[in-house]
Amino acid sequence: MFILTTKVTRFIKYVASNTAKARHLSVLGIETSCDDTGIALLNQNGEVLGNVLNSQQKFHTRYGGIIPPRAQDLHRAKIAEVFERCMQEAQLTPNMLDAIGVTTRPGLPLSLLVGARFAKHIARKYNKPLVPVHHMEAHALQARMEQNIPFPFLCLLISGGHSQLVFVRSATQFLLLGETLDDAPGEAFDKIARRLRLFLIPKYRYWNGGQAVEDAAKDAKNPARFEFPLPLARERNCNFSFAGIKNNSFRNIRAAERQEGTPPDGIIYHYHDFCAGLLAAVSRHLMNRTQRALEFTLPWFGDSPRSLVVSGGVANNDYIFNDLAHLAAHYDCRAYRPSKKYCSDNGVMIAWNAIEQIKENANCMRWDYDAVGVQGKATLGVNMLDAVTQAGIKCKWVQASKWRGVPATLKVAL
Ligand code: KG4
Ligand code: ZN
C-alpha cells in the first residue's frame, strides 16, 4: 500500500511540474515489434503532435519475408533518427514528456529489444516513467482515439501475426473468445500473393500481400472460377484457421500454372478472379466466427450500445470491413475501425494505449526500468475459449453484404 501511494504521489508531483511546461499530458509511443520503427507523441486528448514511421517493407520484400536479425539491425540504425524527427515535428523537447509507452510484447524478440532498450535509455536520461504496452491491446484500443466508442465492445484483431476475437471491458480487461489455430489472415494473404507472384506487377512491387490481393480483386470477371474451402465449418466456436485456404490456394495456383504453361517469371491468367475468390473466402470465414462471438456476447452488452471494432493491418481491407459492418448491423451493432493510417503498426497506437492505461490506473507507470522485459509470445486477456466451445452456439449465417463499391461480377459470387 505504501509503495502504491508513493508511486502515485511521485507521478502527480511529476505531472504537475511538467504540465507547467507542456499544456497537456504528453506521451511518447515506441513501436518496434516487427518491421516498422514507429515513434509518435500524443497529448491526452489523442491529438497527434508528432508521428514518424520508418517501414522496412522494401528491404524485406527483396528476401521474401522478414529476417529477424536484419529487422533488428534496421531498427537499431533508424530508431534515434525516428525519435529526433518525431520530437522536431511535435516541437517539444524530451524533458517535456510525461511518460514513455513502449511495445514489450508480443512480437519478434530481437525487434522488441531495440524499442525497449531505446525507451529505457530516454527514460533514464530524462527521468521519465515507462508504460509497457501489449501490441494487440494497442491495436484493440486504437479506434477509441478518433471515435467515441464506449466500453465494452467486441473486437476482431486481424493482422500479419494474429487473428483474435476479444471482448474489451476496459483499457486493461480483455476476454479472449477465439484465436487462430495456425496462420493469421495477413500472413495467408502475404504468402499467397507471393506464390501468385503479384510482385511481378510493377504497381504491387512493394505492396504488402493483402493490399495487392484487394486491389487485384477489383478487376475480377468471375470470382467463382476457383474454389476455396470454408475452414472449421463444423466447429461451433470462434477460432480461426487460414492454413487450409493457403494450402488450397497453392494447389490451385500450381494446377493453373501447369494448365496454362505459366513461365517461372509469369502469373496465372485469371489472377484477378483468384484474388476475388480468396478475398470472399477469408471474409466469409471472418464473418462466421465474428457472428458467433456476437451472439455469445450480446448479453454482456446489457443496455450499452453494441459496438464491433475491427483492427490490425487486415482491417485496412474495405471488402472485409464492409462485410463485417453489414453483419454487425444485423445485430443492431455499429462497426468501427481506426482510420487507415492507424490500422497497421505505428507509434500512435502505442502512445494512445499508454494514455488509456494511465487514465485507468496511474500505477501502470514503471520506474523500475531494469524489471521491464520483452516477451516474444504473450497471451491476450482472460481465456474464454472453453466457455465459447461449451456454449456451442449454432448460427443462422447472415449473408454477405451487397455493399456499394463491389464490382457487379464480385456480387455474383457472394
Ligand atoms: O498490423 P500489421 O501492420 O502488422 C502486424 O502486426 O502483423 O499487419 C500487417 C498485415 C500484413 O500481413 C498485410 O498483408 C495485411 O496486414 N494488410 C492487409 C491490407 N493491408 C495490410 N490485408 C488485407 N487487405 C489490406 N488492404
Ligand atoms: Zn500489428
Side-chain angles (χ1 to χ4, degrees), residues 135 139 159-161 186 189-190 208 210-211 214 313-314 316-317 344-345:
H135 182 85
H139 272 306
S159 71
F189 280 133
D190 293 338
N208 61 60
Q211 215 182 352
E214 180 177 21
V314 181
N316 275 306
N317 193 295
S344 301
D345 295 352

Side-chain angles (χ1 to χ4, degrees), residues 31 33-34 36 106 135-136 139 158-162 311-313 343-346 349:
E31 159 62 29
S33 69
C34 191
D36 292 302
H135 182 85
M136 299 314 291
H139 272 306
I158 37 179
S159 71
H162 294 85
S311 200
C343 278
S344 301
D345 295 352
N346 62 80
M349 70 182 204

Side-chain angles (χ1 to χ4, degrees), residues 336-350:
Y336 302 86
R337 63 174 159 176
S339 60
K340 288 198 176 182
K341 59 179 182 282
Y342 301 137
C343 278
S344 301
D345 295 352
N346 62 80
V348 172
M349 70 182 204
I350 305 307

